[in-house]
Amino acid sequence: MKISIRRSRRAAIAVALGSVLALTVTACGDDGSGAGGDKGDEGSGKGKIVFWDNNGGVRTDIWKEVIADFQKANPDIKVEYVGIASTEYQSKVDTAIQGGGLPDVGGVGAAMLAGFSAQNALEPLDDRLSKSSLNGKLNEDMVGVLKASGGGDGTLYSIPTSANNGVLYYRTDLFKKAGLDEPTTWDKFYEAADKLTDAKKNEFGYTIRGGAGSIAQALDAMYGQSGITSFWNGDKTTVNDPKNVAALEKYAALYKKVTPAADLNNDFTKMVAQWDSGTIGMLNHNLGSYQDHVKALGVGKFRGIPQPIGASGKRVQVSNPVDGLGVFKSSKNKDAAWKFIEFATSAAENSKFNKSAGQVPSNNDAAKDAWISEAEPTKLAAAALTDGSTTIVQLPYYLPDWNTISKADNEPNFQKVLLGDMSAKDFLDTMADQLNKAQAEWKEQNG
């Protein structure tokens, strides 16, 4: 596959920095020389493999449990765990693709799939899955998302572990005290954000995500309010549709009016910690932070509900990436790496992992376990995705440049919007131009 000029520049920079940055990347299973394009080897199915967790710190404890279970069942295989923060993961992998040092197996979610597969770094997994005990056991929609995200040819490069969904968490105790209705619509959301704010007392109605990961949350708020149900209108993105511009203007205006000033630089960990320890009325995040809220507040002081309904009477949300596990093509022990993926996505382990993460399991048998009905946000999210109440705007994860456009290229600009230094229209027009060019290039490459 032809790689864009822009991506080639990034690759050249990664190569130039490789000798420095490679020092921070743990070597892969056998000899640490794995790089993108290296064909690797099946190996003996025994020995050591290296696993990179794409949400290190947040998921470290549960992955170590899964690894311990795996090693007990497979005493001839040792798994070396490397936890990498989600904000650093893509750059670590990109550097290792160019300079060597890829792991055997790692987290590969939908948002980063196209970029890695375009660099020939991932092992196709269709044949392995078809011969596996997992065949027919995985959620077809999640498998479909990962196939569609891999670059356009329908190849499966990642086995799904879980699906996430946007959630509006709100403090039931604060809402009751203020006499407010549940924020089930965007109008009620804005009313509550205003009424629950008393900046002099350090009380705020909402916490907005201005740091890493801000774009996905902003897109969710935009499409949720505008009611636009498709990311593309022909070959042009709807990101800068006037209805979305108006929605972002209203949403961004919340900053410092009903939110803490610290939100400008807050990623999800800081935002979640701030909400759990303070007196903030509402938080938009996803299912992954549910257990944090339970530990901090107890189940009686908050609820997690699906995103608000718009003026059309329908709920519109952008797609949240399906997460998964992939085998890197350069692995010298692909057989053992695949055994680890099979084990991690088996019913028992997939259930254990997602119960801890608060997400929807990919294994169909795991999805039937009792804990899902006991974790209210997960139960409601799963229902919202299947009961016809929600329209999902599918984000273009298949674009190799999607992750860069939606993160490094535009997060600083979103901060300018919050500060009033850039208009919502200019911000969205800039993003739209990048997306339209990326889409045109992708169509040219993929016929």
Side-chain angles (χ1 to χ4, degrees):
M1 180 186 291
K2 181 176 71 178
I3 297 176
S4 71
I5 294 173
R6 182 164 166 233
R7 284 175 50 72
S8 298
R9 282 201 302 267
R10 290 207 306 270
I13 292 170
V15 170
L17 293 177
S19 61
V20 177
L21 295 181
L23 296 174
T24 67
V25 181
T26 301
C28 76
D30 283 354
D31 63 3
S33 63
D38 186 337
K39 293 181 180 179
D41 195 88
E42 285 298 305
S44 65
K46 301 177 182 179
K48 189 182 84 169
I49 58 173
V50 173
F51 165 55
W52 281 8
D53 174 9
N54 61 345
N55 202 358
V58 178
R59 300 282 176 260
T60 295
D61 289 345
I62 185 58
W63 271 123
K64 286 189 173 180
E65 283 189 41
V66 173
I67 289 168
D69 292 345
F70 174 74
Q71 292 182 154
K72 185 176 180 180
N74 299 270
D76 292 331
I77 303 174
K78 175 178 172 53
V79 180
E80 180 182 327
Y81 170 88
V82 180
I84 300 172
S86 60
T87 53
E88 300 174 8
Y89 189 77
Q90 183 180 2
S91 64
K92 291 276 191 183
V93 174
D94 281 338
T95 299
I97 288 172
Q98 300 302 324
L102 282 167
D104 300 279
V105 60
V108 183
M112 62 186 75
L113 251 178
F116 295 165
S117 66
Q119 298 176 79
N120 199 29
L122 297 170
E123 179 79 2
L125 300 177
D126 297 271
D127 288 346
R128 295 178 195 270
L129 179 59
S130 68
K131 299 171 185 175
S132 167
S133 59
L134 290 174
N135 192 31
K137 295 287 188 179
L138 299 175
N139 183 289
E140 290 183 4
D141 290 337
M142 296 188 203
V143 172
V145 167
L146 292 180
K147 282 189 173 185
S149 302
D153 62 358
T155 300
L156 182 66
Y157 292 106
S158 180
I159 300 299
T161 55
S162 55
N164 221 328
N165 202 26
V167 176
L168 179 61
Y169 293 104
Y170 74 98
R171 289 283 298 270
T172 51
D173 54 342
L174 300 181
F175 270 68
K176 183 177 180 180
K177 183 179 178 181
L180 288 164
D181 292 336
E182 188 174 58
T184 52
T185 69
W186 281 101
D187 285 343
K188 290 180 179 178
F189 164 83
Y190 281 107
E191 177 190 358
D194 185 61
K195 192 166 183 179
L196 291 173
T197 298
D198 188 341
K200 292 180 180 178
K201 294 182 179 179
N202 204 34
E203 297 173 355
F204 297 96
Y206 184 57
T207 175
I208 197 169
R209 188 167 179 170
S214 60
I215 304 302
Q217 189 177 95
L219 291 174
D220 223 3
M222 283 163 42
Y223 282 91
Q225 294 175 81
S226 71
I228 295 171
T229 57
S230 175
F231 195 81
W232 301 102
N233 182 9
D235 291 332
K236 302 297 183 183
T237 181
T238 58
V239 157
N240 60 337
D241 183 283
K243 291 182 180 178
N244 275 334
V245 173
L248 185 60
E249 286 173 345
K250 187 173 184 179
Y251 182 72
L254 294 174
Y255 175 64
K256 285 183 71 173
K257 180 182 176 186
V258 299
T259 79
D263 282 356
L264 182 69
N265 296 303
N266 279 355
D267 60 11
F268 85 91
T269 53
K270 294 175 183 175
M271 186 175 66
V272 166
Q274 179 178 260
W275 192 72
D276 285 345
S277 63
T279 52
I280 300 173
M282 295 177 290
L283 162 75
N284 264 121
H285 190 227
N286 55 45
L287 295 168
S289 59
Y290 173 67
Q291 293 296 341
D292 293 323
H293 310 321
V294 171
K295 291 175 186 175
L297 302 170
V299 294
K301 288 187 177 181
F302 79 97
R303 285 193 76 195
I305 62 174
Q307 298 284 39
I309 292 170
S312 66
K314 291 279 288 183
R315 180 183 297 108
V316 177
Q317 291 185 220
V318 299
S319 52
N320 277 276
V322 174
D323 207 4
L325 295 170
V327 176
F328 285 94
K329 186 173 286 188
S330 59
S331 170
K332 301 300 189 293
N333 203 350
K334 295 177 187 176
D335 186 33
W338 174 250
K339 287 178 182 177
F340 177 70
I341 291 178
E342 277 189 306
F343 186 87
T345 50
S346 65
E349 297 300 320
N350 190 238
S351 180
K352 176 187 289 189
F353 176 84
N354 282 289
K355 183 177 181 180
S356 173
Q359 297 175 176
V360 181
S362 62
N363 188 296
N364 292 325
D365 292 332
K368 299 172 185 175
D369 284 355
W371 67 264
I372 291 178
S373 62
E374 295 166 3
E376 186 189 38
T378 305
K379 177 183 177 181
L380 293 176
L385 292 175
T386 57
D387 65 7
S389 66
T390 304
T391 300
I392 300 295
V393 177
Q394 294 294 341
L395 298 177
Y397 299 128
Y398 58 86
L399 294 177
D401 277 339
W402 166 252
N403 231 24
T404 301
I405 291 171
S406 65
K407 292 183 182 293
D409 282 0
N410 284 292
E411 286 177 350
N413 282 345
F414 183 65
Q415 290 181 320
K416 292 179 182 178
V417 175
L418 294 180
L419 292 168
D421 296 335
M422 187 178 197
S423 71
K425 185 177 186 305
D426 286 348
F427 167 72
L428 293 176
D429 283 346
T430 298
M431 186 186 295
D433 183 59
Q434 295 167 341
L435 288 164
N436 291 337
K437 288 178 180 176
Q439 174 76 346
E441 182 179 86
W442 181 84
K443 293 193 76 170
E444 180 185 347
Q445 293 169 354
N446 292 277

